Amino acid sequence: MPQTVGVPELPEVEGLAAFLRERLVGRVVARVEVGALNVLKTYDPPTTALHGLLVSGVERRGKWLDVDVDGLHLAVHLSRAGWLRWSDALPRAPLKPGGKNPVALRVRLAPEDDEDPGTPPGFDLTEAGTQKRLAVHVVRDVAQVPGIATLGPDPLDDSFDLAAFRALLAGSRQQVKGLLREQSVLAGVGNAYSDEVLHVAKLSPYAVSGKLPEADVERLYAALRTTLRDAVAAAGGKPAKELKDAKRAGMRVHGRTGEACPECGDVVREVSFADRSMQYCATCQTGGRPLADRRLSRLLK
């Protein structure tokens, strides 16, 4: 059965930022249309404040997209079911709020000389499902967005060396899987890539962060940097619509329960939680011992 890969993480958001940078920077925002009021988490300045302004940059901040519009920031967190859909020619009709339309927000660009003024390019933010967690903030300073202000260091930043990583782990009683996913500790890594990093590092997701031997710390740091860099490279140059499939295709163990481990050939196992699951290889990561699946155990009682 196909398995999802959850919230877009650092590599996919980096890919989206690069994709948008090529298409938005230097263009003027003509209009922002809101299809779902709940997507907006801020109201001052309003979305109309972006109208007529020039896009000056697009950056990734952890799992957040930050579109700089002449000093104002359109900050977007896609969450589990959100995505960005680019169009070279948006529909003429304005976006209508409410209904079953999955488009939560639309950004129309001002047409250039060779473009049809009735169908200019732009992008939609869409959200599927009933759990509405897609978040859009319009702010004067990205530090006004709580989810950005509290981010930990970026694991691909040049300043994030082995010593900095070692300092994050020191004294922590948290399981390493949870620590890697904690955005206030490390920005951009989520459920999927923490599985991948731990598999490459050959570490149990339940290992206690602060008790890892030095050799394990060094191996985990190398796995973190290599895995994320490789995934960013794989996402580079791909259109937005292909990034989710590229993420799935690149996974070694995450989302591959029941398949063969690419390293040793053992079966990839799963531990389920209320809202997510993690995958691992017992032979590579836990000395051959399967981890207890607490949810399954409760069902069997």
Side-chain angles (χ1 to χ4, degrees):
M1 183 174 65
Q3 298 175 53
T4 63
V5 290
V7 178
E9 299 177 33
L10 186 156
E12 297 78 53
V13 181
E14 186 68 41
L16 280 175
F19 175 84
L20 287 178
R21 203 174 292 127
E22 292 181 1
R23 290 158 178 81
L24 291 182
V25 173
R27 299 290 300 257
V28 173
V29 174
R31 194 162 73 249
V32 178
E33 300 169 3
V34 181
L37 289 175
N38 62 285
V39 76
L40 288 176
K41 307 305 177 185
T42 56
Y43 302 95
D44 180 24
T47 57
T48 53
L50 303 174
H51 296 179
L53 300 184
L54 193 76
V55 178
S56 51
V58 182
E59 301 295 335
R60 175 189 60 80
R61 301 180 186 277
K63 300 180 189 178
W64 290 78
L65 273 172
D66 171 19
V67 182
D68 187 334
V69 189
D70 199 18
L72 294 179
H73 296 263
L74 180 71
V76 178
H77 193 287
L78 294 166
S79 194
R80 184 179 295 274
W83 196 242
L84 183 144
R85 186 171 67 196
W86 176 265
S87 176
D88 291 325
L90 287 168
R92 291 177 181 269
L95 183 63
K96 293 182 179 180
K100 296 182 179 180
N101 193 334
V103 180
L105 185 133
R106 173 170 290 163
V107 175
R108 294 180 184 268
L109 300 179
E112 295 186 333
D113 293 341
D114 59 344
E115 295 170 344
D116 183 345
T119 55
F123 65 88
D124 291 336
L125 296 177
T126 65
E127 187 169 25
T130 57
Q131 293 185 347
K132 303 302 182 182
R133 296 178 180 175
L134 174 67
V136 176
H137 299 244
V138 179
V139 293
R140 297 176 179 86
D141 182 347
V142 287
Q144 294 175 303
V145 180
I148 293 178
T150 57
L151 286 174
D154 191 293
L156 292 186
D157 193 278
D158 290 341
S159 65
F160 187 70
D161 56 13
L162 177 59
F165 183 61
R166 190 185 291 118
L168 288 185
L169 301 179
S172 174
R173 297 181 180 179
Q174 194 170 9
Q175 292 174 344
V176 66
K177 164 80 174 177
L179 182 138
L180 291 175
R181 295 177 63 245
E182 186 67 52
Q183 296 304 292
S184 62
V185 175
L186 200 63
V189 179
N191 194 41
Y193 284 102
S194 58
D195 281 354
E196 296 296 290
V197 168
L198 289 167
H199 181 255
V200 173
K202 299 186 183 302
L203 286 176
S204 168
Y206 291 167
V208 178
S209 302
K211 293 184 177 180
L212 292 176
E214 178 60 23
D216 287 355
V217 172
E218 294 176 7
R219 197 166 64 252
L220 180 58
Y221 174 75
L224 176 67
R225 300 269 283 192
T226 301
T227 301
L228 293 177
R229 281 174 173 163
D230 288 351
V232 167
K238 286 186 170 58
K241 63 183 179 180
E242 294 180 12
L243 287 170
K244 285 185 176 181
D245 288 340
K247 178 181 181 179
R248 290 187 184 94
M251 293 287 115
R252 297 161 59 93
V253 292
H254 184 80
R256 298 196 179 278
T257 303
E259 298 182 25
C261 167
E263 194 71 25
C264 72
D266 191 8
V267 65
V268 174
R269 302 172 191 270
E270 175 179 304
V271 176
S272 298
F273 302 93
D275 60 346
R276 61 183 172 85
S277 62
M278 70 177 183
Q279 285 78 40
Y280 69 100
C281 171
T283 295
C284 290
Q285 297 175 253
T286 61
R289 298 184 304 276
L291 299 173
D293 187 336
R294 294 184 179 87
R295 189 172 70 167
L296 182 61
S297 298
R298 287 199 299 271
L299 290 173
L300 293 175
K301 287 181 178 178

